[in-house]
């Protein structure tokens, strides 16, 4: 029976979609199309990452091969960008948002924020003049992209790489001229990352070009590039400290401005702070509620007074934190986690998306470890969504003392790592990115890639964490049943772990790509052939571009491959005994003790904070000549 309301809905469904774009929407589309191309042409490094390889300069008609270039960081280039964004802001102002269709209106908001932020970055933030590390990060990305992204054949990418290495001395000379002031923290990060760039040129790049027609050219460019890196490092270490010093903090007013345009939220920092404070009390109460029974079980002799929250929660957290990987096996654990999560997504039919074969879990390149202290997702180019998506996991540096390594591992314990993988990888940002990559036309996809709405993108990441928790991962139950069968209803034991990602298209990006998050679409689960596909993917995962040696991270050696301990996956297993808790009444596998994932010895990394930088943030660098990492 069709109620009037249902009838209306059906009619709307039938009528609404094919609406032709209004003249205003069409005008906006032209403007946005021009914008994404121009913005990327200002930033060839980001262009490669987004899958834009050539650009026809409207002024000269000349075709620019973006993959062979580094960003122009000269004052003249800065002036050109400033003029362009000011003009664009004026043109946007003349459009009438009220006349735009809803999709286009969302893009209008993104573009307006993006332009505003670009102007802020150019005139007020001025990172190229105050942050020596931005050049190291840009160079690392510039050189890593042709190696890791398979957008063309190896010979072409080797040529691109060689051309970019040739550009290093000029680029860094300009960088030193640009820097007016700095601070000690940024200088230290810059020096660490510069070492990573040198390593990339010396090892990974050399390996990559070997046997190609660009090998000799690359060889000739190497020494001058390395010398330039040394000179720049000496400048950062010795000269910059004698120039004016500035606070790394931006101050309240600039923070509020940046907040508005980066987060694109309507609440002010003060309002958000008040909400967070209010919420903190609720969250702490919830922590006590959850920790109480475990505390009673694990520490039956303890008696705490009235104010028991801190001791109870911290003791329980400390106990959970004991369960972690060895210092050299974080990457292997992440690979296991992703494989297990994929099994859950498929086995429980959580999403219509069931192919994550484009995803590779690799060590974070050294030059980005100053930013990606723990892990992060790096997405396939917006214009080439079929290319690899990476889940970067930052290994612990070998030079870290045991105590420091242990502190990081306690925090990034088994369960935290699993949460991280749910957020960053599967279903996580990969799912949102995959759907965002289906957006058409292309300008929309690119716009949402690098001017995307962060809270929107992160919302899907966080939602994924909740989704997987509700699905029984990480402490919940995968399903009711006999304890030893309950661990994975997703796949037979011993099979589920051997799938190491290689990858699916995915972008982390904002705007409007419409992930179907928790939609449950029957029939979507992948069925047969998993074992075969799994081993192929395992091989692919191990074929990490520049992986083991070049990037200096923990070896990607087949952690997954055929080790006996793999049954003991980080998934829950109701009913498993708790250590020291005979007759435990709470069988949650979250707290099931488990040995280290890998065979550990002394492992290695530098870590700065608990940051999970995301693609959209990196991507912003396209419009913004001045990436800002420290806010994370
Ligand atoms: Zn206690
Ligand atoms: Zn995220």
């Amino acid at each position: 029976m069709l109620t009037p309301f249902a009838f209306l809905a059906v009619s709307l469904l039938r009528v609404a979609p094919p609406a032709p774009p209004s003249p205003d929407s069409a005008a906006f589309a032209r403007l946005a199309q021009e914008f994404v191309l121009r913005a990327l042409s200002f930033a060839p490094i980001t262009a490669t990452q987004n899958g834009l390889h050539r650009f026809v300069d409207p002024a000269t008609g000349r075709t620019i091969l973006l993959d062979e270039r580094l960003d122009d960081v000269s004052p003249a280039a800065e002036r050109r960008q400033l003029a362009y964004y000011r003009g664009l802001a004026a043109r946007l102002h003349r459009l009438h948002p009220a006349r735009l269709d809803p999709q286009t209106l969302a893009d209008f908001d993104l573009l307006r924020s993006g332009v505003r932020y670009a102007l802020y970055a150019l005139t007020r933030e001025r990172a190229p003049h105050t942050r020596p590390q931005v050049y190291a990060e840009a160079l690392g990305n510039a050189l890593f992209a042709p190696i890791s992204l398979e957008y063309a054949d190896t010979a072409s990418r080797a040529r691109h790489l060689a051309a970019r290495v040739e550009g290093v001395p000029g680029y860094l000379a300009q960088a030193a001229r640009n820097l007016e002031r700095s601070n000690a923290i940024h200088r230290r990060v810059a020096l660490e990352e510069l070492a990573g760039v040198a390593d990339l040129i010396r090892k990974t790049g050399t390996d990559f070009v070997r046997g190609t027609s660009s090998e000799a050219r690359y060889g000739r460019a190497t020494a001058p590039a390395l010398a330039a890196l040394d000179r720049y490092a000496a400048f950062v270490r010795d000269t910059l400290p004698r120039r004016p010093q500035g606070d790394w903090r931006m101050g309240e007013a600039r923070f509020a401005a940046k907040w508005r345009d980066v987060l694109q939220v309507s609440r002010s920092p003060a309002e958000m702070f008040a909400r967070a404070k209010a919420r903190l009390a609720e969250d702490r109460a919830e922590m006590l509620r959850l920790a109480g029974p475990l505390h009673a079980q694990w520490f039956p002799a303890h008696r705490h007074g009235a104010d028991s929250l801190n001791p109870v929660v911290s003791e329980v957290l400390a106990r959970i934190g004991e369960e972690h990987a060895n210092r050299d096996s974080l990457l292997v654990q992440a690979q296991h986690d992703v494989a297990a999560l994929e099994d859950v997504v498929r086995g429980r039919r959580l999403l219509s998306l069931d192919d994550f074969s484009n995803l590779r879990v690799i060590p974070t390149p050294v030059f980005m470890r100053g930013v990606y202290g723990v892990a992060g997702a790096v997405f396939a180019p917006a214009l080439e969504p079929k290319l690899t998506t990476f889940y970067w996991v930052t290994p612990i540096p070998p030079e870290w003392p045991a105590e420091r390594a242990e502190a990081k591992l306690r925090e990034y314990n088994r369960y935290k790592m699993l949460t991280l993988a749910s957020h960053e990888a599967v279903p996580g940002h990969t799912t949102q990115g995959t759907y965002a990559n289906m957006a058409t036309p292309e300008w929309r996809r690119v716009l949402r890639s690098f001017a995307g709405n962060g809270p929107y993108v992160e919302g899907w990441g966080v939602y994924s964490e909740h989704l997987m928790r509700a699905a029984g991962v990480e402490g919940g139950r995968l399903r009711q049943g006999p304890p030893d069968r309950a661990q994975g209803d997703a796949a037979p034991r011993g099979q589920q772990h051997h799938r190491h990602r290689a990858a699916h298209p995915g972008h982390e990006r904002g705007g409007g790509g419409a992930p179907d998050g928790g939609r449950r679409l029957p029939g979507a689960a992948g069925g047969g052939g998993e074992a075969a596909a799994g081993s192929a993917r395992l091989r692919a995962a191990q074929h990490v571009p520049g992986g083991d040696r070049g990037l200096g991270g923990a070896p990607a050696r087949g952690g997954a491959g055929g080790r006996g301990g793999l049954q003991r996956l980080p998934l829950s297993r109701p009913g498993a005994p708790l250590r020291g808790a005979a007759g435990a009444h709470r069988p949650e596998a979250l707290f099931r003790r488990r040995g280290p994932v890998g065979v550990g010895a002394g492992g290695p990394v530098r870590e700065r904070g608990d940051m999970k930088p995301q693609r959209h943030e990196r991507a912003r660098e396209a419009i913004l000549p001045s990436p800002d990492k420290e806010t994370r």
Side-chain angles (χ1 to χ4, degrees):
M1 185 167 56
L2 222 52
T3 64
F5 179 76
F7 178 74
L8 177 66
V10 168
S11 312
L12 284 173
L13 275 178
R14 209 174 283 142
V15 174
S22 69
D24 293 85
S25 292
F28 176 83
R30 282 192 299 275
L31 192 148
Q33 159 95 25
E34 177 209 298
F35 162 79
V36 297
L37 293 177
R38 279 302 285 276
L40 288 176
S41 78
F42 290 143
I45 297 170
T46 314
T48 300
Q49 292 175 317
N50 275 278
L52 184 71
H53 302 293
R54 31 186 89 225
F55 174 73
V56 180
D57 188 336
T60 63
R62 275 180 47 229
T63 297
I64 300 169
L65 299 178
L66 296 165
D67 298 322
E68 300 194 349
R69 298 200 168 201
L70 299 171
D71 296 359
D72 183 348
V73 290
S74 68
E78 207 173 277
R79 283 193 297 274
R80 276 196 299 276
Q81 293 180 38
L82 193 55
Y84 176 71
Y85 289 124
R86 282 187 171 139
L88 194 63
R91 287 159 67 194
L92 274 175
H93 193 68
R94 289 195 290 272
L95 288 176
H96 303 283
R99 295 186 203 155
L100 300 175
D101 65 79
Q103 281 283 330
T104 307
L105 182 58
D107 292 321
F108 176 86
D109 282 341
L110 291 179
L111 181 51
R112 190 171 51 184
S113 292
V115 170
R116 229 163 31 194
Y117 186 31
L119 290 170
Y120 167 85
L122 283 161
T123 59
R124 297 180 72 190
E125 188 162 65
R126 304 181 71 245
H129 301 280
T130 59
R131 294 182 195 163
Q133 74 272 33
V134 300
Y135 299 101
E137 287 159 11
L139 271 185
N141 281 315
L143 306 179
F144 193 58
I147 297 172
S148 60
L149 295 173
E150 294 167 346
Y151 58 81
D153 59 46
T154 306
S156 307
R157 285 150 53 212
R159 192 175 64 245
H160 302 157
L161 179 64
R164 282 186 168 178
V165 170
E166 286 171 351
V168 169
Y171 179 82
L172 289 176
Q174 184 60 53
R177 286 194 291 274
N178 288 347
L179 285 161
E180 298 155 8
R181 61 189 161 84
S182 66
N183 65 70
I185 291 174
H186 289 167
R187 290 195 299 272
R188 195 195 65 198
V189 173
L191 290 170
E192 288 173 356
E193 292 179 340
L194 285 167
V197 176
D199 196 58
L200 186 64
I201 293 176
R202 213 181 288 119
K203 297 180 192 161
T204 321
T206 303
D207 288 348
F208 183 73
V209 300
R210 189 165 295 133
T212 70
S213 55
S214 300
E215 185 174 356
R217 180 182 175 189
Y218 184 90
R220 284 191 299 275
T222 302
L226 292 173
L229 282 165
D230 281 345
R231 274 195 305 278
Y232 183 67
F235 163 81
V236 171
R237 193 174 48 239
D238 306 326
T239 307
L240 260 188
R242 296 199 299 269
R243 293 191 183 172
Q245 301 299 295
D247 196 332
W248 58 267
R249 290 166 293 200
M250 62 183 71
E252 197 175 335
R254 284 199 294 164
F255 182 75
K258 185 169 180 174
W259 168 283
R260 182 194 62 182
D261 297 329
V262 173
L263 292 186
Q264 305 170 35
V265 292
S266 43
R267 291 195 184 97
S268 70
E271 285 166 328
M272 204 66 104
F273 185 56
R275 287 170 68 94
K277 271 200 299 198
R279 177 67 188 268
L280 185 62
E282 284 171 38
D283 285 347
R284 282 169 56 81
E286 173 76 354
M287 288 173 90
L288 179 60
R289 194 184 67 71
L290 292 171
L294 291 157
H295 180 268
Q297 181 183 311
W298 288 340
F299 310 101
H302 284 201
R303 296 289 174 268
H304 298 288
D307 195 9
S308 64
L309 194 148
N310 281 344
V312 167
V313 169
S314 62
E315 285 164 6
V316 168
L317 281 178
R319 171 72 177 267
I320 292 168
E322 285 171 23
E323 205 172 328
H324 58 65
N326 284 323
R327 61 181 292 164
D328 65 349
S329 47
L330 274 180
L331 177 71
V332 170
Q333 173 168 4
Q335 290 170 334
H336 286 184
D337 289 350
V338 168
L341 291 167
E342 187 180 334
D343 285 329
V344 174
V345 167
R346 245 203 299 270
R348 298 180 68 97
R349 302 183 172 187
L350 296 175
L351 304 172
S352 50
L353 177 70
D354 66 350
D355 180 4
F356 296 90
S357 58
N358 259 15
L359 177 66
R360 285 186 202 165
V361 186
I362 67 165
T364 308
V366 176
F367 66 87
M368 287 307 282
R369 290 182 190 174
V371 179
Y372 290 63
V374 176
V378 180
F379 292 82
L383 293 170
E384 293 167 317
K386 297 292 176 214
L387 296 184
T388 303
T389 284
F390 296 102
Y391 174 29
W392 284 354
V393 178
T394 305
I396 294 182
E399 66 270 19
W400 274 19
E403 213 171 300
R404 186 175 177 193
E406 179 66 18
K408 176 174 177 177
L409 290 166
R410 276 198 304 270
E411 181 171 2
Y412 291 91
N413 58 60
R414 186 180 148 206
Y415 306 101
K416 182 75 166 279
M417 288 297 289
L418 194 53
T419 302
L420 213 52
S422 313
H423 176 110
E424 305 286 352
V426 174
H429 289 311
T430 305
T431 302
Q432 192 264 324
T434 300
Y435 282 90
N437 261 346
M438 296 175 189
T440 55
E442 281 186 340
W443 64 258
R444 169 166 282 154
R445 208 185 301 154
V446 179
L447 177 69
R448 291 174 182 187
S449 162
F450 69 82
N453 181 296
Y456 175 90
V457 172
E458 286 311 317
W460 284 105
V462 172
Y463 176 71
S464 295
E465 296 176 29
H466 290 284
L467 178 70
M468 296 313 272
R469 211 168 289 146
V473 172
E474 197 193 1
R477 297 159 189 246
L478 273 181
R479 69 168 187 195
Q480 304 296 332
D484 60 340
R485 300 302 314 258
Q487 132 164 295
D489 57 352
R493 241 190 219 209
Q495 175 184 331
Q496 58 183 348
H497 327 305
H498 293 270
R499 260 177 281 126
H500 271 205
R501 275 12 2 179
H504 199 66
H507 273 67
E508 167 160 10
R509 70 174 41 114
D516 68 346
R519 249 195 307 152
R520 184 185 273 261
L521 300 181
E530 289 194 351
S535 62
R537 272 186 236 150
L538 174 57
R539 286 194 299 279
Q542 286 167 336
H543 170 247
V544 169
D548 300 356
R549 45 216 204 103
L551 303 178
R557 70 179 139 81
R563 284 215 321 271
L566 291 177
Q567 301 91 314
R568 303 185 300 155
L569 246 217
L571 291 182
S572 59
R573 205 173 84 173
L578 293 156
R579 188 184 70 178
H585 65 287
R586 284 179 66 92
E588 275 80 343
L590 166 56
F591 304 108
R592 182 166 65 87
R593 311 299 304 179
R594 180 178 185 278
V597 171
V599 195
V605 188
R606 64 215 78 166
E607 178 196 29
R608 285 195 304 131
D610 166 7
M611 300 176 293
K612 295 182 281 168
Q614 307 302 335
R615 160 59 176 249
H616 58 280
E617 290 162 312
R618 300 175 54 247
R620 276 193 169 273
E621 291 160 24
I623 15 182
L624 332 164
S626 44
D628 177 10
K629 302 306 197 302
E630 88 215 340
T631 54
R632 281 175 243 142

